[in-house]
Structure formats: structure tokens, C-alpha cells
Amino acid sequence: MYPQQIHQYVRQFFKENKCPILQESDHYLCVQLTVEMDKRIMNRPFYWSYVESTGSEPRPAQLTVITDKSKLVQQMPGEVLHYGSPRLHQLFQVTREQAAFVQMYERATNESGPQTILTPWLGVNYKITYSSDRTKEILYSLGMNLMTGAIVNGFQEDLSKREMEATISANTFHLPYIIKPLRALERMDDLIETLIQEDDHTWAEEAKTRKIKDLRVLEYFYEGVEERPECYEMEKRAIEEQYEARIRVEIINGGLFYLK
């Protein structure tokens, strides 16, 4: 998962959770958490217990996250986010808990003029994980027009530029979908599988080469030993599991979106 992808994800996460962005560059974000988000991610149960028991004015925290440490020109306070970092994992978990699937409508800019027509789209965010002794993550955000069947990548980025609401605006009509969402999901799953097949898989061959090298070192240590001890089998099995090439596809979230 690249720093740019992390930055885009985190920015969208806080935007959708109504947390104002106080400062931002291409490698860090400073956000003002809402009360709800502070309670979910900042681990301050005693503070919130005190506020609620005394009726004090709540003061949710501000959070600064650094999405690309290599671009820092000077030291600054903040949490560095990278693949595997506890905070990023926590944001992924909150996203799953909040809503695996949503239905939203693009806000009409002119509610008194001609009726606005919205087209149905299915949007799905996928995470592909390539793992052996090393791990690489790729995010795909796919959207399918449920009228035409056209599929676009970078759908989440497009959504972030639009004003979306949970309810449809006045003087707005949405078209019924022709392609069923389940069928659209199947087609996007097929596309993800094709993208994986067409990707460069030299990482798996390189992992296999490293595995063979480590197994040779293991054999060298036990060379001449007729009856191999149990620890030999355990070490051998650990090496084989460590370098086993695995591909995991995960749907982070998705939704039905009606767009102009």
C-alpha cells in the first residue's frame, strides 16, 4: 500500500466521518475529531467517563497523521501511518464496523429548476494483498454504471469530489438500475481476478528462491546427521510457511451511488 493511497484513504475516512481537516499537505493531515470519533479511536475512556459524569464541556482531540515520512523536511509531531501500523489497521476496522455497504445520492445544486436525473452506480473498494516473507498491498476502487455496464477505476476519488447525501434531494429523480448489483459485483470480481493474473508475479519466484536458499542453509547445519531431531522438522516447516506465496482479495466496503 503506497503512501499516496494511504493519504487518499485517510483523507476520505475523516471527511466522511465529519472530522474537519485543519491542515493538510500531500504527506500529512491534521484533523479535528468529533466526539464520536474521539471515543472510537483515541482510547480515552476515563476522560469521557469524567466528562459525562460531571457534565463538563467535551473537548475532542486533534489528530495529526503522517502518510509519507520520506517527504518530511523537518521533525513534526504526529503518528506515522504505513501498512501494518496499528492506527491504519484501526481505521480499517472502524470502516468495516460502520458500514460495509451504503446507499447515497449526489446532492442537487438546483432544487428549483429542471428536475435532476441521477444514474445508479455500484462502487466497491478492493484490497489485494500479496504476501510471502514480504507483503505488498494494492487498492482498487471500481465503479460500475448500472445502466450501461461501464466500469471505471478510481471511483472513490471521483466520489470525493462530489457532494453526497444519505437522502435524495428535492426535485431529483433517480433511474432504476438495469444491471442488478449482485451481477455487477460478479463482473467486478472477475475484473479483479484478471488484474491479478496480468500483474507481475516475480515476487513469488523471488520468495521461492529465498526459501530454497534458507533450506540449503538448514541442510548444511544438519549435514551428516542420520536421525534428524524434531527441531529440524519444525524449522523446515517454519521456513516453508514463511515463504509461501499467498494472494488475498478483500472487499473493504462498497455502496450504491446515484450520480449526476
Side-chain angles (χ1 to χ4, degrees), residues 117-120 145-147 173-179 258:
I117 306 298
L118 302 181
T119 301
N145 186 315
L146 299 182
M147 303 294 292
F173 172 77
H174 68 79
L175 299 171
Y177 49 75
I178 296 175
I179 302 171
Y258 291 91

Side-chain angles (χ1 to χ4, degrees), residues 15-120:
K15 181 180 177 181
E16 291 183 359
N17 283 284
K18 311 300 182 184
C19 298
I21 298 175
L22 305 178
Q23 296 181 33
E24 179 182 13
S25 76
D26 61 348
H27 60 278
Y28 79 90
L29 288 165
C30 178
V31 298
Q32 174 62 61
L33 300 180
T34 61
V35 170
E36 179 184 1
M37 191 51 58
D38 187 303
K39 290 180 178 180
R40 291 185 73 99
I41 71 173
M42 295 306 290
N43 191 27
R44 302 200 296 168
F46 296 112
Y47 170 76
W48 288 111
S49 177
Y50 170 79
V51 168
E52 291 167 359
S53 63
T54 62
S56 303
E57 180 182 356
R59 295 182 180 275
Q62 293 180 6
L63 177 65
T64 298
V65 293
I66 300 167
T67 54
D68 191 348
K69 189 177 180 180
S70 65
K71 291 186 177 180
L72 287 179
V73 295
Q74 61 183 14
Q75 291 294 327
M76 65 176 297
E79 298 185 26
V80 178
L81 299 188
H82 56 82
Y83 168 74
S85 64
R87 179 68 75 188
L88 186 60
H89 176 76
Q90 183 188 43
L91 299 187
F92 283 147
Q93 184 62 33
V94 171
T95 300
R96 295 189 188 98
E97 292 172 357
Q98 285 180 324
F101 184 89
V102 298
Q103 180 169 312
M104 302 190 75
Y105 306 85
E106 185 170 4
R107 184 171 181 266
T109 55
N110 185 4
E111 298 184 0
S112 60
Q115 189 176 52
T116 300
I117 306 298
L118 302 181
T119 301

Side-chain angles (χ1 to χ4, degrees), residues 8 11-12 15 155-162:
Q8 181 182 342
R11 188 182 194 281
Q12 187 66 22
K15 181 180 177 181
F155 186 69
Q156 187 68 41
E157 183 178 356
D158 177 63
L159 279 182
S160 66
K161 300 174 183 176
R162 302 171 183 261

